[in-house]
Amino acid sequence: MTQKRFEIEGRQIILHTPGSICTTAGELLHSEVFAKVVHLYCKTLQKQDSPAWTLFSDLFGSDCSTRIIALLIQLADISLADLAENQTELKPLLDRTNRLRLHDFVEGLYDFWRSFDRFMVLHSEPGKSSFERRPYRSFNVTVETLTHIVRGTYRDICENITGDHPRIYRQVSAGCDIGLIAVPRSTTLPDKYASLLKQIPFIRQVWIAPPMIIDPPMNKRTGEFKKVEKNPIDGLSLDAAKWICYPAQVGPMVIFVYFHQRMIDLGCALSNLFELATDEQIAKGPDAVYLFGTDPEFMKQYGTMPTVFHEDHQHHLLVAAVPCEPQYGYFGYLKKMVLTLHNIAMMKRGRMPYHGAMVRITLKNGKSANIVLIGDTATGKSESLEAFRHIGKDFIRELRIIADDMGSFEITADGIIRGYGTEIGAFVRLDDLQAGYAFEQIDRAIIMSPQKINARVVLPVTNLDEVLHGYAVDYVLYANNYEQVDQDHPVLERFDSPQKAIQIFRDGASMSKGTTTSSGLVHNYYANIFGAPQYKELHDKLANDLFQTAFAKGLFVGQMRTRLGIDGFETAGPEEAAKALFEQISRM
């Protein structure tokens, strides 16, 4: 049975517990967590040479923070005035200025605690009373109870200091931001993998108090993911107590995403992007394994950019690893490696992966179309989908998102091209969302670095049934974000041959928007650096088959000029592109 433990990773607090964390104010105030947070806060005040710290150090001497903890424990039940009557050393705190400083200390301590991203990981063994059997009850008696106890204790202490009640109550999040039920599960893994990973628990349920705002150390991704001959797990060792597995359904695949608890904020954000695998899927075993947050020293053997993947032919398994370093603390390294593994697996199965969005639109006039919009990062894929949604009241009866960022094409035996997705969520630039949309959806959002360039939001946008259905494709469009629109360059352009289509799509031109370290006009093979270039020969064959079939079947293959990379057209460009597409669908 996992024991209760409390760990700090940077600005993250992680509580591991086999059961309830605390059920009363007394348990909270006597806990290791409370003592540690008070000591850390006191060190901060001491470093700042705060007046409050001067007051307490004069009052309590060298054992200051321990005496403060004892005082706060008493103030949870007894007023300051009553305490000072029986403890003469506390009488100076009755002075108006000192009382205000004591109150400010408690307010500051409360804010200091809430300045951390706070996570609770619930561990339990299978059984009638196990957490995973009734997860909502488990979260009620742990995460939500902790919120009420912290908030209530803070208010009781403040009232016992001031001798008054507040007139305004703010129900801020005071417990944990995210709760996980993570438990052992039997799974099919080759021995070399099982010996390393079998002790790591699987996430079975996630509880989020949105909007969840996190500020990872990085806000952009750089470089490509490198295929290596040596398996990243060979010779690797890890402390299973510091790792958690998010078993993700990625399109038709299951990928076991193991992350170090230092990366827990990014690992938990996967819950807004990929559906959790079922117990049956876990038991069957994964199609790929990804270790996010491995030992940096161990990963140095792979060079200066050790973001690597390996194809284990013996066990028919894809394996990836990224080191636990601040420069890789960006959600793009987590998401895009997962999608790279998906793309490689799809090519091996005869499907061409695409980097793009797919949407199923039914217009009010009865016309409908299934559209795939292919393009590199920040070329207007997600933004155009939001433009569809924004102006949909005028044109759309129904809009269903099949893929937001990555998917695959299948050519059926009868020559039908079907499109599939991978994710149930979207990872989009906050600046490029339609005005007001982020606020409308904020109650479901995980927001990353809102104060920085390339601020991002992770939102659920579809469901797994839509992702896996496989809809017949009507339009295959390239998202051109860098060309202006004029008489010779229409918003929506149809190509006249497979050769022209292959030329444009293969060139993969786009204007960088600062989401990676690239800048200016860049070219990426099929706008998809995630697996396609590493398997170029296989991908070329699949792409040629796709476009030859598309033209033979009369699909609309062309490009849509979103102008997202042109200053001043970040909103107007995708909107005009969406309108042009609606007009085209109406004429078909």
Side-chain angles (χ1 to χ4, degrees), residues 297-442:
E297 287 298 316
F298 176 83
M299 295 299 292
K300 282 183 178 179
Q301 63 184 300
Y302 296 107
T304 56
M305 275 297 295
T307 53
V308 300
F309 65 88
H310 168 78
E311 189 175 353
D312 183 345
H313 296 282
Q314 179 184 356
H315 299 107
H316 307 288
L317 202 61
L318 291 165
V319 189
V322 168
C324 190
E325 291 186 282
Q327 68 237 51
Y328 304 110
Y330 174 58
F331 193 63
Y333 287 104
L334 188 53
K335 170 188 173 177
K336 293 299 190 182
M337 181 66 90
V338 168
L339 295 178
T340 297
L341 300 175
H342 162 270
N343 291 349
I344 296 167
M346 291 303 99
M347 286 188 283
K348 295 288 184 179
R349 299 180 190 184
R351 291 190 191 178
M352 175 187 156
Y354 62 82
H355 185 193
M358 181 174 179
V359 62
R360 177 175 173 80
I361 299 175
T362 304
L363 302 184
K364 290 180 179 179
N365 63 9
K367 300 292 182 65
S368 65
N370 301 326
I371 302 155
V372 178
L373 183 58
I374 292 174
D376 212 335
T377 301
T379 53
K381 305 182 302 293
S382 297
E383 294 78 11
S384 294
L385 292 184
E386 297 312 325
F388 294 151
R389 195 192 307 276
H390 179 63
I391 63 177
K393 61 182 181 297
D394 298 323
F395 301 95
I396 299 175
R397 176 179 296 147
E398 185 179 43
L399 183 150
R400 291 183 178 271
I401 295 174
I402 312 305
D404 176 79
D405 184 50
M406 202 75 74
S408 62
F409 292 113
E410 176 190 36
I411 303 175
T412 65
D414 54 355
I416 302 298
I417 296 176
R418 296 192 176 277
Y420 301 84
T422 54
E423 307 129 292
I424 60 168
F427 177 53
V428 296
R429 280 170 49 93
L430 196 57
D431 289 346
D432 292 333
L433 290 174
Q434 290 291 331
Y437 179 75
F439 297 100
E440 294 170 6
Q441 300 294 319
I442 202 167

Side-chain angles (χ1 to χ4, degrees), residues 139-350:
F139 291 133
N140 284 345
V141 301
T142 53
V143 183
E144 294 195 18
T145 295
L146 179 62
T147 294
H148 295 309
I149 290 172
V150 171
R151 203 159 50 206
T153 303
Y154 149 75
R155 287 172 177 165
D156 287 343
I157 291 174
C158 286
E159 290 185 17
N160 281 332
I161 293 171
T162 63
D164 196 7
H165 302 287
R167 275 72 172 173
I168 300 172
Y169 292 89
R170 296 177 177 87
Q171 298 295 95
V172 298
S173 175
C176 289
D177 305 297
I178 290 183
L180 306 175
I181 294 179
V183 294
R185 281 290 182 267
S186 296
T187 185
T188 303
L189 277 172
D191 289 345
K192 64 185 292 184
Y193 296 89
S195 61
L196 182 70
L197 305 172
K198 65 181 179 181
Q199 299 300 325
I200 298 174
F202 289 89
I203 296 173
R204 303 313 305 128
Q205 282 86 24
V206 181
W207 179 99
I208 305 175
M212 175 72 183
I213 300 175
I214 61 176
D215 186 22
M218 290 296 293
N219 67 326
K220 60 179 64 176
R221 179 183 49 79
T222 187
E224 296 184 9
F225 301 128
K226 181 172 61 176
K227 183 182 179 183
V228 295
E229 293 304 315
K230 181 181 178 182
N231 193 324
I233 74 160
D234 288 345
L236 178 67
S237 61
L238 51 81
D239 180 357
K242 294 184 180 295
W243 286 76
I244 306 171
C245 180
Y246 189 99
Q249 294 191 54
V250 186
M253 298 176 58
V254 173
I255 299 178
F256 286 0
V257 183
Y258 295 90
F259 58 87
H260 190 282
Q261 68 177 20
R262 195 173 303 163
M263 306 289 202
I264 193 171
D265 54 347
L266 300 176
C268 289
L270 288 171
S271 59
N272 262 11
L273 198 66
F274 297 113
E275 188 65 74
L276 276 166
T278 65
D279 284 348
E280 291 75 19
Q281 289 172 316
I282 292 173
K284 185 178 178 182
D287 298 291
V289 169
Y290 179 20
L291 288 89
F292 184 58
T294 52
D295 178 16
E297 287 298 316
F298 176 83
M299 295 299 292
K300 282 183 178 179
Q301 63 184 300
Y302 296 107
T304 56
M305 275 297 295
T307 53
V308 300
F309 65 88
H310 168 78
E311 189 175 353
D312 183 345
H313 296 282
Q314 179 184 356
H315 299 107
H316 307 288
L317 202 61
L318 291 165
V319 189
V322 168
C324 190
E325 291 186 282
Q327 68 237 51
Y328 304 110
Y330 174 58
F331 193 63
Y333 287 104
L334 188 53
K335 170 188 173 177
K336 293 299 190 182
M337 181 66 90
V338 168
L339 295 178
T340 297
L341 300 175
H342 162 270
N343 291 349
I344 296 167
M346 291 303 99
M347 286 188 283
K348 295 288 184 179
R349 299 180 190 184

Side-chain angles (χ1 to χ4, degrees), residues 400-402 423-424 461-468:
R400 291 183 178 271
I401 295 174
I402 312 305
E423 307 129 292
I424 60 168
V461 295
T462 188
N463 60 66
L464 197 60
D465 287 340
E466 294 291 345
V467 167
L468 298 177

Side-chain angles (χ1 to χ4, degrees), residues 25-93:
E27 289 181 8
L28 171 68
L29 294 168
H30 287 88
S31 68
E32 176 195 358
V33 177
F34 182 73
K36 182 69 172 179
V37 171
V38 173
H39 283 300
L40 285 174
Y41 182 56
C42 287
K43 285 182 180 180
T44 301
L45 295 182
Q46 186 177 13
K47 187 176 181 180
Q48 294 172 349
D49 194 22
S50 163
W53 179 254
T54 301
L55 168 67
F56 290 131
S57 58
D58 289 345
L59 195 65
F60 296 135
S62 59
D63 198 21
C64 189
S65 57
T66 300
R67 294 288 301 277
I68 289 171
I69 292 170
L71 174 61
L72 295 175
I73 290 172
Q74 295 179 85
L75 284 171
D77 295 315
I78 305 169
S79 72
L80 179 61
D82 288 343
L83 282 177
E85 277 190 17
N86 299 315
Q87 300 179 45
T88 56
E89 71 273 18
L90 298 180
K91 285 189 181 295
L93 293 176

Side-chain angles (χ1 to χ4, degrees), residues 534-545:
Q534 295 90 337
Y535 292 79
K536 189 173 289 187
E537 184 177 346
L538 175 56
H539 189 278
D540 274 343
K541 180 183 182 305
L542 295 170
N544 184 70
D545 291 345

